Amino acid sequence: MTEPTFATLVSRWYEENARDLPWREPGVGAWAILVSEVMLQQTPVVRVLPAWQAWLARWPDPAALAADTPAEAIRMWGRLGYPRRAVRLQDCAVAIVERHGGEVPDKLDQLLALPGVGTYTARAVAAFAYGQRHPVVDTNVRRVVSRAVAGEPDAGPATRPVDLVACEELLPVEPAAAVLASAAFMELGAVVCTARSPRCPVCPVGSVCAWRASGQQAPAGPTRRPQRYAGTDRQVRGLLLGVLRETTGPVPHQRLDQVWQDDVQRARALAGLVTDGLVEPVGEASFRLVGDGPAIQPVGP
């Protein structure tokens, strides 16, 4: 009798243990899946759930978001973090309307050409929305494959072409089975084969895991040092955006000056928001969320 493959073992486990998440429900469209994948980048599921539901209630399809302003996208993004994702999603919606008639494309090259859609997100949408066989490789998947196949405790900080190859070699040939396996690999890394506290005794591939067989321990510290938040430019940027989100239209510079005492750091954070396309100046003494009002008229003779 043939032994079950790695993908089969993980897929069986997934079918019995997968978390009940709304973007995994049958019939969820490609736009909803695209939004979930963008929101889930560097953000826990528990924070994404209410934001995802509110976003789709307001903008159920790309055309709805494309017709709105980047400022409203930033407002709806709230405190999910990394708010440039909101602007990229709005840019993406505009591109989907202009290039694809308002429908999220199903071809990988077209997905990759959308603003803000990278290697992981494009393959995730192609797989989970359209049932295509692609290696869907995020941090969790890389860790699972690195440990179980290569016997290494950690896969490193960034996805490499070799990671896509290693994952694709584990996928079943049949597309539906490959999609199931891709979701299963991600789930295993998220809830069992975690970075610091792996639950090896309940792992469905523990008996064939090269890392477990080697007896190696999980790294004592994180692969990447956690980013400090308190007192950083990120905190100041968040405070500035908080004021701008709560106000429609221009906010006087004097109001923004109140959010942080360090003039140099505050000015640097505000300049960074402008550079990132989140905030724009209005005249010489005010700022607003990008696109939050009539177009700015050029100054000149």
Side-chain angles (χ1 to χ4, degrees):
M1 183 176 179
T2 305
E3 292 292 325
T5 65
F6 182 90
T8 298
L9 291 171
V10 182
S11 297
R12 289 174 180 171
W13 167 85
Y14 176 82
E15 290 180 310
E16 296 180 1
N17 297 278
R19 290 170 293 176
D20 184 16
L21 300 176
W23 44 82
R24 291 175 174 170
E25 293 295 324
V28 172
W31 172 242
I33 290 173
L34 172 58
V35 172
S36 75
E37 292 297 347
V38 173
M39 286 187 168
L40 286 165
Q41 295 167 13
Q42 299 178 287
T43 308
V45 167
V46 66
R47 293 181 60 200
V48 167
L49 274 168
W52 180 82
Q53 292 164 338
W55 188 281
L56 290 176
R58 180 166 180 176
W59 299 305
D61 53 44
L65 178 56
D68 217 326
T69 65
E72 288 305 305
I74 296 169
R75 286 196 175 93
M76 281 293 290
W77 197 260
R79 298 188 179 278
L80 274 182
Y82 303 99
R84 277 180 290 180
R85 291 180 292 172
V87 177
R88 288 170 183 160
L89 256 180
Q90 207 271 342
D91 289 341
C92 183
V94 171
I96 290 171
V97 170
E98 292 178 347
R99 303 175 193 173
H100 306 288
E103 298 293 330
V104 177
D106 60 359
K107 292 181 173 56
L108 183 59
D109 60 340
Q110 294 176 337
L111 287 165
L112 286 167
L114 293 173
V117 174
T119 297
Y120 165 77
T121 304
R123 286 171 170 77
V125 173
F128 303 139
Y130 294 116
Q132 298 173 14
R133 184 185 185 275
H134 293 288
V136 183
V137 183
D138 68 354
T139 299
N140 290 319
V141 173
R142 288 191 296 110
R143 184 169 56 253
V144 167
V145 175
S146 178
R147 287 177 176 175
V149 178
E152 298 293 334
D154 199 282
T159 299
R160 304 160 298 170
V162 68
D163 296 317
L164 294 173
V165 173
C167 182
E168 185 168 15
E169 289 177 348
L170 296 174
L171 295 179
V173 175
E174 201 275 318
V179 171
L180 176 62
S182 292
F185 294 165
M186 294 174 63
E187 187 77 347
L188 186 67
V191 302
V192 174
C193 192
T194 58
R196 302 293 152 248
S197 303
R199 299 163 56 212
C200 295
V202 300
C203 180
V205 290
S207 62
V208 296
C209 177
W211 178 61
R212 188 178 185 188
S214 72
Q216 295 186 59
Q217 300 297 312
T223 301
R224 290 179 290 182
R225 181 176 298 177
Q227 293 182 334
R228 181 172 59 90
Y229 183 74
T232 63
D233 285 5
R234 281 185 60 214
Q235 182 184 16
V236 183
R237 285 164 60 100
L239 293 171
L240 291 167
L241 273 182
V243 173
L244 291 161
R245 278 199 305 265
E246 293 166 3
T247 307
T248 301
V251 175
H253 208 305
Q254 295 90 328
R255 172 69 183 89
L256 297 175
D257 289 346
Q258 298 173 20
V259 307
W260 198 254
Q261 293 183 346
D262 187 327
D263 293 343
V264 174
Q265 187 177 23
R266 187 182 62 250
R268 183 172 64 241
L270 184 57
L273 291 172
V274 173
T275 299
D276 289 344
L278 296 169
V279 173
E280 59 188 4
V282 182
E284 297 182 356
S286 298
F287 292 84
R288 69 186 183 192
L289 294 179
V290 63
D292 194 20
I296 301 173
Q297 298 300 316
V299 177

